Amino acid sequence: METDLTSVIIGLASLAIFLLPISYYQFQEKKGLKEAKKQFLNKAGDLAFQTGDFEVLRNRASIGIGKNHEELLYVKRNQYQLIELTDVVNCSDYKNHRKDLGSHDSVIQQVGIRIKLRHGLDARLPFFEGKEGTLIGDEQIIVRRWIDRINTAHKELEASVNA
């Protein structure tokens, strides 16, 4: 039984048509995450923020707590928020919904952390921003993990101040 050269070429072309878009998407994702990490580290260096634990999120934002657990830095593109953890009063998650015009359903537009600060100030840090409401599934887990990290760092600061 001989293998037909045309069949081999068609098989390889079919495989390439399937794998090229996936490879391109993965390459773009890695490139975007690398750029977001670079922006976070550059902004941290500009602000003299001692980078401790940080994470690059799917919306190309980065969030991190300093080594001494006194500050929280959130960077998205050219904007940033530097929050003193001693000023944190409350930390919770939030979701923004948009009503779908054709039905009674609502579509999730944004998921993130809302931090209430002293003097009545409020900081919103979006972790997911979707145009069509397409959640991947673990956004709430990531938000809860960062809320726990912020609360833990805040408690450590209060304990060190009271000691």
Side-chain angles (χ1 to χ4, degrees), residues 58-118:
R58 283 194 192 96
N59 66 347
R60 301 293 186 262
S62 303
I63 186 169
I65 295 178
K67 282 185 180 179
N68 53 8
H69 300 284
E70 292 179 0
E71 297 173 320
L72 174 76
L73 178 62
Y74 177 86
V75 177
K76 184 171 181 190
R77 294 185 194 104
N78 295 328
Q79 300 175 349
Y80 72 93
Q81 290 186 17
L82 185 64
I83 298 170
E84 296 288 332
L85 291 178
T86 55
D87 293 338
V88 173
V89 174
N90 187 13
C91 186
S92 61
D93 62 338
Y94 75 91
K95 290 182 187 177
N96 287 343
H97 297 272
R98 176 182 56 87
K99 283 283 190 185
D100 197 12
L101 297 176
S103 67
H104 298 292
D105 296 333
S106 64
V107 178
I108 295 175
Q109 291 293 110
Q110 202 174 59
V111 175
I113 295 177
R114 178 179 40 217
I115 300 175
K116 291 187 181 185
L117 304 169
R118 296 187 202 281

